[in-house]
Structures are given as C-alpha cells and as structure tokens.
Amino acid sequence: MSAEFNKNIDTSSSDEITTIVVIDDGGSKGATISQSNKKHGIIIDNDFKPLSAYEAEKRLFNYGKNVIAAYQPLRWYTVLYNSSVHPFNLILIGLATFSGATQDFPTMAILLIMVIISVGIRFIQEYKSEVAAQALKNMVSNYASVIRLYSPPDTRDPTFDDLEKMDRGDTQELDIPLEDIVPGDWVKLSAGDLVPGDVQIISSKDLFISQASLTGESIPVEKFTMDQKQPPVIPEANENVKMDKSELERPDLCFMGTSVVSGTATAVVLKTGSNTFFGVMAKTLASKRTRTYYEISIRRISFLFIGIMLAMMPPVLLLQGFLKGSWTDAVLFAIAVAVGLTPEMLPMIVNANLARGAIALSKHKCIVKKLDSVINLGGLDVLCTDKTGTLTRNKVELIKHLNYNGDTCQLPLFLGYLNSYFQTGLKNLMDVAVIEFYENPDSKIIAGYTNISQGFTKVDEIPFDFVRRRMSVILESNQEEDNRFLISKGALDEMLSCCSHIYIGNGNDLNDGIFPTTDIIPLTQDIIDSVKNLNNTLNNDGLRVIGVAFKRMKERVEFSVAHERDLILVGVCGFLDPPKQSAKPAIEELMRYNVEVKVLTGDSPVVCRKVCEEINLPIKSIVTTTDIEGLDDTQLEEIAEKATIFAKLTPLQKANIVNALKRRNHIVGFLGDGINDAPAIRESDCGISVDEGTDIAKESADIILLEKSLTVLSYGVVRGRLTYGNTIKYIKMAISSNFGNVFSVLAASIWLPFLPMAPIQLILQNLLYDFSQIAIPWDRMDPEFLVDPKRWSTKGIFRFMLFIGPLSSIFDITTFLFMWYYYQCNDAHDDYKVKLFQSAWFVEGLITQTLIVHVIRTRKLPFIQSTAAKPVILSTILIMAIGIAIPFTPINYLLSMTPLPGIYFSYLLGVMVSYPVLVSVIKVVYIRIFDDWL
C-alpha cells in the first residue's frame, strides 16, 4: 500500500487542535480528525482511509489471522508422548521386553504396570497445568475497536440510506475479534486496551503506552504523531519481515503486546500476527528449548543404570556358565540380574514426588507446566528477575514533595494536587499519583488542608503539549472574589524557564495560606543551579521530578500560553515505582536459602540501584548494555558472575547472561513477564512467568505464577528441595539395596544347591517393598538439608551404591549361614528345609530393605535426632508386619513358604538392630570422607 502526503495543513483552529484533512482531486472530502496538544499531524491523500469490509476480508485471506503462529496449545496426545519418553520409562520398557523374550511374564507385567502408572501420573498433572495455562489466555479480552467504511448488516438488503452512506464514504466503529484485525485497519485505543498489532498513530490525546513487556522500562512512554514526509509502510503479505529495534524509539509507533495506560488514540495497523515485532521474536524462539539441568542429570543417571547393568552382566554370565554348565540358564540368570539392579518403581516414585510438589505449589497460586521444573526450582542457586512488577509495584507513586532546598514541603503537594484535580480530560500517571497520595488517609496532611479543592472553582486551563512540557490551570477562590491563581506543573527545566521568583519558606506553617505572599525572592542563577543539583540528586535516586509553580492573576481574559511567565517556583515532586512490601522479606528468605538474586532489566541503572538498595539486595556491581557488547564468552562469564544489576539489556543480552551463568555451573532461574524476557526464560533451567504476562513469556515458561511475587518463589525453592530430597533418597536406597541383593543372589547361586528364593517369592518381596516406598513423597527432610541448593551427581550415586549396597549382603550371607548350619538347610531334596530357608531370607530381606530407609533418609541418627513422616513410619510397620505374617497364613503353600520357628525371630531381632547400627556407623565415616550423603 502506498500514498503521498499532501502538505496542506488547516491550522485555523486553536493552538491545541490540528485538523487532518483527507484530500482528493475534487477538494476537501471525508472525515476531520482532531488531535489535541500538537500543531502538526499526518496529512494524507484519498488512498489512506479506513478499509471497507470487502478489502478487510481480502487482506485477512492474504495476510492470515492476527495470531502468533509459533505457539499453539499442546494437544493431549503431545503431552502424553512427552510424558512417555522419559529416560527411566525407556529403561523399564527395554527390560520388560527382555523379560517377555525370556518368558518371564510376571516381571514383564510388573515393569509395564510401573511404566503405565508413571506415565499416568505425569500426564494427568501436566495436562491439567496446560489446560489451566490456556484458560488464562481466555480470561483476556479478545476484541478491538476498529473504524471501517460503512457497510450494511449482512442480515438485510441495503436500503437507499445505506447506499447514500456508502457513496459518501461514511465510517462506522465496530468491535471485532483481535484475530480478525488486518494491516490497514484503523483502530481506536483507550486506557486499558492491548495494542492489537504494530500500529502507527494517526491522532492522539495524552497517550501513554506501557512498553515494559518489550523494553522493561517501568515508566510508561508518551506516544504522539510526528511530522511525516513518508506514509505508513505496510509490508506485503509474503514479505520476510525482520526485527528493527530502532523502531521501539519512535514516538508514533506502538507495538503488539504493549498496553494503553492512559489517553486515547486512533492508529493504523501496519503489521499483524507473525510480522509484528512480537511475532518475529516468537519465530526466533520456536526452535526446541535447550536441555535443563534436571534433564541433563536424568540422562546421566539413566546412562549410569545402563552402565551398571552392562558391567554386571558379563561376569555373572561367565561365572554361572562355567560353574553351572548351562549357558542358556546363565543367560537367563544374567538378564534377571540386570532386571534386579533396576529400581522398577523409580519412574513412578519420581513422578509421584514431582506431582506432589506441583500440587503443593498450585495451592500457593502456581501453575507447574512441566513437572521437572519443580526439582529445577529447588536446585536454583541463581535467580534472575526483572524489576518492574516483581521487585516493584508497577505503579507510579508520589514519593517526595520538597522545597528548593530539598526539605519536605507541603506547598508542592497542595498546588500539584489542585493542578491535577482540576485539569480536564484523562489524567496521566503522575496526576493520578498526586491525587492518590493527597487523598490517602495515611498521608500527613496539615489539619485544615485535607479538602482544599472545595475552596476553588476552575476558570480555565492551558493543556499540556510536548514543546512546553507543562500544563496549567487557572482557579478562582470561593472565599475571595476576583482572587485568581495560575498553577503550573511540568518538567523542571521548562518550569525554571518560566519562573522569575522562588518560594524559600518551609511550606509547612502556611500562615498566609497555600498561596504565600512572604518568603519569596528573585530566582538567581545560584538558586537555579541549586535546584538543578537537587533534580540530579533525585534522578540519581531513580525518581522522576516535576516542578510546581504559581502566580496570582487579576485580569479576566482568555488565558493562553503567554500567561505562563513570571511564575513563583514553590518546589518539586518526586515519583517512583516503589518496591513491593513483600520484596524485602522475600529477598531475605531467598538469601537464607543461598539463592543469589540478580536483576536483569531494560530499565535505567539508577532506578534499579535505588530499588535494590531499598529492599536490601546486596549490589556487587552494576552492568549496562554497553559494558557487555563485544565480549567473548569468558569475559561475559566473569561479568555475569560478579554483577548484581544488569540494566538497559536487550532480550538477546538477557539470554546471553543466563547462558553465561549456566556455563559457570550455576542452576539458573529466570522470572519475567514481557516479550523481551522470553529468550532468557527459554534459556534458563527454570523459566517462570506470571498470569498477566505476555503469551510468548507464558508459553516459554515452566511455571506460571498467579501472583507476581518473589515470596511464592522462596516457598517453591524449599518445596523443590524437598522433592529432590525425597527423590534422591529413593534412588540411592533402591539402587544400593538392589546392588546388595544382586551380590547376595550371586553368592547364593555359587554356594547353594537350590534357589535362595523362589521366583514368586522374589516378585512378592519386590511388590511389598515397592509398596512401602509409595509413602516417600509424603516424607519430610531435615531443615539443614533445605538450606543449600542440591545437585544431581551420578558419581555420588555410584559411590553410594558401592559403599552402602554390600552392607545388606553381609546380613544376607549371615542369614544363609544361620539357616545352613543352625537349621541344617543344606539338602536340595528336603522340601521343608528349602521352604524354611527361602521363607527366612524372604522375611529378613524384606524387613532390612524396608527398615533401612529410615537410616538413609537423614544424615542424623534415625528415630532419635530425625524421624520420618507418619505415612512413612506407618507404611514401614505395615509392610514389616505383613512380611512376618505371610509364612503363617493359609496362602503360604501357594508361595512355597512355611512357618518360621521362634528362635529365628531372636536372630531376626538382632539383624533389625545391628543392620541400622552398622549402616549408621558407615554413614558417619562416609560423610567425613566425602562430605556428602543425600
């Protein structure tokens, strides 16, 4: 689309109105669009006009729907697939296949059941989270107001009046779905609206846009039309649009994903869908996300299990083949050993732990999209966060009202309030902040001055414009006739330029009212320098400053900009997006759990430093975008490690900082809600967004907070470490126990003339033991364990298996010896003695495996210094009781068991005491040598 701009400007209206006339060869025609506060606008020809319904439909077909194609909701089958291809599941499926091939169908069935349960737990939790995340999108208004050429409703035939309107080129305002917006549409924007595409402003009034989602800047940006020599440029339908960051600085452009804070505007849509700044960024993020720390660790642990199995099978195969003479049996036995080494409950226990953590977080207003992120959250040692809305309230507030000397003064507050209160039209953010501060009951307002607006009547106002950068109101006192006052406020430099005097009183006594007649002196250069120094000091503290001035007016005339001279400056007001009350305790809580917080923001460094100082976040150093440009990886890693605040960053630079920290062996989380945060969210180990964040940020995130606060994250860190603790205790306990059992079975197969335990007994023992471990997700961890971030260590798991695993074999072999010599269970042809031997090892093996969890779960003395949660204790007692009772039940003959004699239980009691004692002693030695346990 192209057009030439006609430079005929009708400026016959007042200084505050510019008329934009659509020109054709026949003269003036079409609509007149007024634009306040600027003396220039876009002058356009007849081609530049609202679209007709037909043209809009044609463009919708050519350009497609106004949606970001890079992100689509996950289907249920995609979630199911992602839940199934977990490395632990694949190991069990492989072992189940081997078991089926060797006709060990009971083992195959058990393994497959464990896989199904594991997949079911993960699928249900992640699909529920996906549904909840998509529901957040549906809560957002999906309509925009557009101006199109008039066309009659489709429900009736056109009337003569309809034809006349169409011939005149009349327009109509319609509310249509956002996805039906097309390039060339004219859209109307007002406070609270989301910008439906990348648009260029045609006309505006006091328009402020929040670009925090794109740039990270907390203060909304003023947008307005500019003198244009070139018409709006709309890309072709199939054009490959590239991201031009310089466009973000243009005051006449607004972008998809940003929102209108105040004011109104009419704008033409230039780009929609994937061609927008938002959409181009989304396409760059559409590639597969890099693996997180948890995913890498799980792969390593899976390879460890496979490596142990492959390492154990050859010696077992050779030993059995040469000793027993049957190589077929040796192969089957080697496969059975491989199956026995693998904790078959591992996927289910891991997923149950993760699901329980996700459910706990959901009760604290978190949606966990990926279960793995629960453990990643617990492993964080660095949390990168944006500033706006996370550390701050995302709301401009009046912080200070001072005289020229920097002392608190009531006059700037009072006069600023009257100015903001009486101005017409939409009030900007600072007007709202002044009014809210003054009307807040907690504000320390001098008695008798809590309702000063009732004492005045507005006479006139001189609106704000971008040249003067101030606005004024003229008020008349209700008590004194012909006593008028001009009150002006605006940017301090512009205010100083129109002031001739300054008030030097304290502004708190108010002996002669809020318009003082004393303590007023001429404005000298020294005083101007002093005021500017005060302004610089406040700016360095991150405050935006406006000046407030007044003068008495006697004349009854039409007021204009010319009356804004010889004013009396009474002081300044300072504004800031202040820290949240929850930010300081949340930072302290995260630091207590050894999580370092770094702030990555697009905002200015001085603003960010001020906020960090107020919340007591230790600042090691401050880095800006220019400091990191052109650095190699090593240099960037050094800066990322040492700095606390990273300001004025681009989206790519945020992602680079996250990657640099990961290369330094940190587990990194990132909390952000904007389009500019999405790359860093995807690169982090745990990406976190909020329910009010942009779609691209929420799609990139692993966790969505329904409340943007660090407080819930400190809880999430603790919950993640608890989840990790319960998971790693099962992994270490199960693999060490299985490793010990393999040694015991190997020893027994060499020595005994019969099987130490029948296959059905082995299956039952495993099932009972596995059932006892179901309670582990409900266990607690010692408070000391939760203080520091924890890391998965395949080396630590392997070392734990080698040290602790064989301890159980000591007692297994002791049981073999006890039954062999004391009860003479050494004849393979004596059916009773074989059953007695197998029953004895069944009970001893089950009880020692079940009991040892209480020793492994803590670095402390079990039952004395640290006690498991009630579900774990109850499951232990229950399974031990069932194990002891089974040989005495009527089903013992089905299990090839027999009742055990009384003297055996004396021996069993000795094992139950000595085994935990031995492991506790070894645990002390192990911790002293390796400084590690769980």
Side-chain angles (χ1 to χ4, degrees):
M1 175 178 176
S2 65
E4 292 184 1
F5 279 64
N6 187 301
K7 298 181 181 178
N8 295 328
I9 303 178
D10 180 359
T11 58
S12 59
S13 57
S14 70
D15 289 341
E16 273 61 57
I17 300 295
T18 296
T19 302
I20 303 173
V21 184
V22 180
I23 303 294
D24 69 1
D25 294 337
S28 297
K29 176 181 177 181
T32 297
I33 303 175
S34 65
Q35 176 196 351
S36 69
N37 306 334
K38 290 197 65 72
K39 296 185 67 174
H40 48 73
I42 302 174
I43 310 306
I44 50 184
D45 72 2
N46 192 43
D47 288 336
F48 189 80
K49 59 186 178 182
L51 302 178
S52 65
Y54 170 76
E55 180 64 23
E57 286 185 16
K58 187 168 71 171
R59 294 192 182 194
L60 186 62
F61 176 80
N62 291 333
Y63 285 90
K65 292 283 188 180
N66 183 27
V67 295
I68 306 301
Y71 290 103
Q72 298 294 336
L74 290 178
R75 303 294 183 184
W76 67 266
Y77 47 81
T78 304
V79 179
L80 180 61
Y81 172 79
N82 292 336
S83 302
S84 303
V85 294
H86 193 281
F88 290 164
N89 290 335
L90 297 180
I91 290 175
L92 291 193
I93 290 172
L95 292 175
T97 303
F98 273 113
S99 299
T102 57
Q103 297 185 345
D104 187 0
F105 297 116
T107 300
M108 182 185 73
I110 291 172
L111 293 174
L112 292 178
I113 288 171
M114 294 303 161
V115 171
I116 292 170
I117 295 174
S118 168
V119 171
I121 291 172
R122 179 176 285 262
F123 170 76
I124 291 171
Q125 190 60 41
E126 291 196 350
Y127 188 67
K128 283 170 58 180
S129 297
E130 179 65 24
V131 170
Q134 294 304 320
L136 292 177
K137 293 184 181 180
N138 299 330
M139 293 169 63
V140 179
S141 174
N142 293 317
Y143 284 81
S145 179
V146 301
I147 299 172
R148 286 183 178 170
L149 293 178
Y150 180 81
S151 62
D154 294 334
T155 55
R156 61 175 175 81
D157 294 330
T159 64
F160 181 76
D161 186 50
D162 292 331
L163 295 177
E164 277 194 332
K165 290 180 179 179
M166 294 169 68
D167 184 58
R168 289 195 305 265
D170 287 357
T171 61
Q172 60 184 346
E173 189 173 321
L174 304 169
D175 288 334
I176 67 171
L178 288 179
E179 62 181 20
D180 291 339
I181 298 287
V182 296
D185 260 330
W186 289 25
V187 294
K188 297 191 71 175
L189 302 174
S190 58
D193 288 346
L194 289 175
V195 179
D198 289 357
V199 304
Q200 185 169 351
I201 297 171
I202 300 173
S203 66
S204 66
K205 178 177 175 59
D206 302 329
L207 183 65
F208 285 82
I209 298 289
S210 173
Q211 292 192 159
S213 63
L214 278 177
T215 64
E217 294 182 4
S218 59
I219 301 297
V221 180
E222 296 170 332
K223 295 287 185 177
F224 48 89
T225 58
M226 297 193 307
D227 286 327
Q228 298 285 339
K229 294 183 180 179
Q230 296 296 328
V233 178
I234 297 175
E236 297 294 333
N238 298 319
E239 185 176 338
N240 184 22
V241 178
K242 295 183 179 180
M243 193 162 51
D244 185 357
K245 295 175 184 175
S246 65
E247 292 182 345
L248 292 174
E249 305 299 326
R250 283 182 53 176
D252 64 330
L253 294 182
C254 303
F255 300 90
M256 175 182 264
T258 62
S259 59
V260 181
V261 176
S262 64
T264 58
T266 301
V268 60
V269 178
L270 305 181
K271 302 171 187 175
T272 58
S274 297
N275 285 336
T276 61
F277 190 94
F278 183 169
V280 173
M281 183 179 291
K283 282 190 283 189
T284 64
L285 297 173
S287 58
K288 187 174 177 61
R289 182 175 178 177
T290 56
R291 287 193 180 97
T292 65
Y293 176 76
Y294 174 83
E295 291 169 333
I296 294 172
S297 300
I298 289 300
R299 285 172 60 87
R300 289 174 178 171
I301 293 172
S302 301
F303 286 134
L304 172 65
F305 288 163
I306 294 171
I308 293 172
M309 286 189 290
L310 293 178
M312 289 293 293
M313 287 178 68
V316 169
L317 175 65
L318 294 174
L319 196 60
Q320 288 294 305
F322 284 117
L323 290 176
K324 302 297 183 180
S326 173
W327 289 98
T328 301
D329 290 343
V331 170
L332 296 177
F333 187 78
I335 293 174
V337 167
V339 173
L341 274 171
T342 306
E344 63 271 13
M345 285 277 284
L346 181 58
M348 194 189 87
I349 292 293
V350 169
N351 286 336
N353 263 314
L354 295 174
R356 178 162 167 75
I359 292 169
L361 286 172
S362 70
K363 295 177 181 177
H364 286 73
K365 300 182 179 180
C366 293
I367 296 174
V368 179
K369 291 174 59 183
K370 292 182 65 178
L371 289 185
D372 297 349
S373 61
V374 175
I375 288 184
N376 282 332
L377 185 59
L380 296 185
D381 60 348
V382 174
L383 174 64
C384 299
T385 176
D386 66 346
K387 174 186 68 68
T388 306
T390 306
L391 302 179
T392 65
R393 300 176 190 174
N394 197 20
K395 178 184 178 183
V396 175
E397 294 186 9
L398 176 62
I399 302 298
K400 294 181 178 181
H401 41 92
L402 311 171
N403 63 13
Y404 84 102
N405 211 27
D407 299 322
T408 299
C409 178
Q410 296 284 330
L411 275 185
L413 170 62
F414 291 164
L415 299 189
Y417 169 73
L418 289 174
N419 178 287
S420 299
Y421 181 84
F422 281 106
Q423 70 158 298
T424 57
L426 292 167
K427 304 183 188 301
N428 65 34
L429 293 175
M430 285 180 282
D431 290 320
V432 174
V434 171
I435 293 171
E436 287 184 350
F437 183 90
Y438 176 84
E439 295 179 350
N440 187 340
D442 295 331
S443 298
K444 297 178 180 179
I445 305 298
I446 300 174
Y449 291 89
T450 55
N451 202 5
I452 57 176
S453 60
Q454 292 185 356
F456 298 91
T457 301
K458 178 181 155 184
V459 176
D460 202 352
E461 73 174 281
I462 307 170
F464 177 91
D465 68 49
F466 298 102
V467 177
R468 293 164 37 251
R469 297 178 67 201
R470 60 178 176 267
M471 75 85 53
S472 303
V473 296
I474 297 89
L475 307 181
E476 185 173 60
S477 173
N478 295 337
Q479 285 78 33
E480 303 176 38
E481 191 174 350
D482 291 334
N483 202 1
R484 296 183 174 189
F485 305 92
L486 181 147
I487 306 172
S488 183
K489 75 176 190 309
L492 189 58
D493 286 340
E494 280 70 15
M495 292 302 300
L496 287 170
S497 69
C498 63
C499 289
S500 61
H501 290 73
I502 188 167
Y503 172 74
I504 60 171
N506 62 26
N508 298 319
D509 298 332
L510 302 182
N511 294 325
D512 52 355
I514 62 174
F515 295 100
T517 57
T518 60
D519 295 326
I520 296 173
I521 63 173
L523 188 62
T524 65
Q525 187 59 47
D526 287 341
I527 295 177
I528 291 175
D529 292 340
S530 176
V531 172
K532 288 186 175 181
N533 288 336
L534 173 63
N535 181 46
N536 291 335
T537 300
L538 295 174
N539 287 158
N540 288 336
D541 282 340
L543 274 68
R544 291 186 67 178
V545 180
I546 62 170
V548 183
F550 81 99
K551 78 172 182 178
R552 295 177 183 273
M553 306 281 292
K554 292 295 184 182
E555 58 268 58
R556 287 179 173 272
V557 295
E558 184 176 339
F559 295 97
S560 69
V561 173
H563 290 90
E564 292 179 329
R565 65 178 185 272
D566 298 328
L567 306 185
I568 302 167
L569 185 71
V570 297
V572 299
C573 292
F575 300 85
L576 183 70
D577 180 10
K580 288 182 177 180
Q581 291 183 348
S582 62
K584 184 176 179 179
I587 291 292
E588 292 174 350
E589 189 78 357
L590 288 169
M591 290 172 62
R592 187 163 74 89
Y593 289 107
N594 291 297
V595 178
E596 182 181 3
V597 178
K598 295 180 183 287
V599 183
L600 278 60
T601 179
D603 213 340
S604 69
V606 292
V607 172
C608 197
R609 176 182 56 79
K610 176 64 175 177
V611 170
C612 291
E613 287 174 351
E614 292 197 11
I615 62 175
N616 289 347
L617 177 62
I619 301 174
K620 293 189 289 188
S621 66
I622 299 175
V623 172
T624 63
T625 183
T626 54
D627 297 326
I628 61 177
E629 288 178 348
L631 299 183
D632 60 31
D633 287 349
T634 303
Q635 292 170 322
L636 185 61
E637 288 171 19
E638 289 288 340
I639 286 182
E641 187 79 42
K642 295 177 181 178
T644 301
I645 296 174
F646 302 83
K648 290 291 183 182
L649 296 184
T650 66
L652 183 59
Q653 286 173 333
K654 289 185 178 183
N656 288 341
I657 293 294
V658 170
N659 275 323
L661 290 168
K662 289 172 67 175
R663 290 195 298 270
R664 278 296 182 104
N665 203 30
H666 290 291
I667 303 176
V668 184
F670 189 94
L671 169 59
D673 62 352
I675 300 168
N676 62 326
D677 296 319
I681 290 174
R682 286 178 63 83
E683 291 300 325
S684 65
D685 292 299
C686 184
I688 308 159
S689 188
V690 296
D691 62 334
E692 295 179 351
T694 59
D695 286 348
I696 190 174
K698 289 186 287 189
E699 294 285 358
S700 302
D702 304 306
I703 296 174
I704 299 176
L705 306 182
L706 302 183
E707 183 178 283
K708 193 174 184 182
S709 169
L710 292 179
T711 304
V712 69
L713 283 186
S714 60
Y715 171 80
V717 167
V718 174
R719 189 74 224 186
R721 290 177 186 176
L722 175 63
T723 301
Y724 166 83
N726 285 334
T727 302
I728 196 66
K729 77 173 61 163
Y730 173 78
I731 291 176
K732 287 188 172 183
M733 177 185 61
I735 196 168
S736 61
S737 177
N738 289 359
F739 187 67
N741 286 344
V742 166
F743 265 105
S744 301
V745 169
L746 197 58
S749 65
I750 297 172
W751 171 27
L752 296 176
F754 52 83
L755 291 175
M757 197 181 302
I760 193 169
Q761 295 169 354
L762 190 59
I763 292 171
L764 178 61
Q765 186 190 65
N766 284 340
L767 284 175
L768 289 173
Y769 170 70
D770 290 341
F771 183 80
S772 72
Q773 306 311 305
I774 292 176
I776 283 181
W778 282 264
D779 196 14
R780 62 172 70 96
M781 298 300 298
D782 297 329
E784 298 84 357
F785 178 88
L786 303 175
V787 170
D788 296 307
K790 298 296 185 293
R791 292 177 173 271
W792 298 90
S793 170
T794 51
K795 181 179 179 181
I797 293 172
F798 184 70
R799 185 174 59 213
F800 190 94
M801 179 191 75
L802 292 179
F803 270 76
I804 306 301
L807 297 180
S808 64
S809 297
I810 295 174
F811 292 91
D812 288 339
I813 294 173
T814 302
T815 302
F816 295 165
L817 293 172
F818 177 72
M819 299 305 296
W820 180 276
Y821 290 108
Y822 188 84
Y823 286 107
Q824 298 297 309
C825 297
N826 48 25
D827 186 357
H829 302 290
D830 189 335
D831 188 55
Y832 170 74
K833 292 297 180 82
V834 171
K835 288 182 178 180
L836 183 63
F837 185 100
Q838 292 174 339
S839 300
W841 192 38
F842 172 88
V843 173
E844 180 268 334
L846 177 62
I847 287 179
T848 52
Q849 285 186 89
T850 306
L851 192 62
I852 202 60
V853 67
H854 295 273
V855 181
I856 291 178
R857 62 171 295 278
T858 177
R859 293 169 70 111
K860 301 177 180 179
L861 287 176
F863 306 112
I864 298 173
Q865 295 177 324
S866 179
T867 306
K870 285 184 180 180
V872 178
I873 294 175
L874 292 176
S875 67
T876 300
I877 294 173
L878 177 63
I879 296 303
M880 288 172 62
I882 291 174
I884 292 172
I886 283 177
F888 297 92
T889 61
I891 64 169
N892 61 3
Y893 74 96
L894 296 175
L895 302 172
S896 300
M897 291 188 185
T898 188
L900 294 164
I903 198 69
Y904 166 81
F905 291 99
S906 299
Y907 164 79
L908 183 62
L909 181 61
V911 171
M912 291 172 62
V913 173
S914 56
Y915 182 35
V917 169
L918 176 61
V919 175
S920 296
V921 171
I922 298 299
K923 177 168 67 176
V924 173
V925 176
Y926 185 94
I927 292 173
R928 286 184 179 178
I929 296 174
F930 302 109
D931 191 27
D932 177 49
W933 186 246
L934 290 180

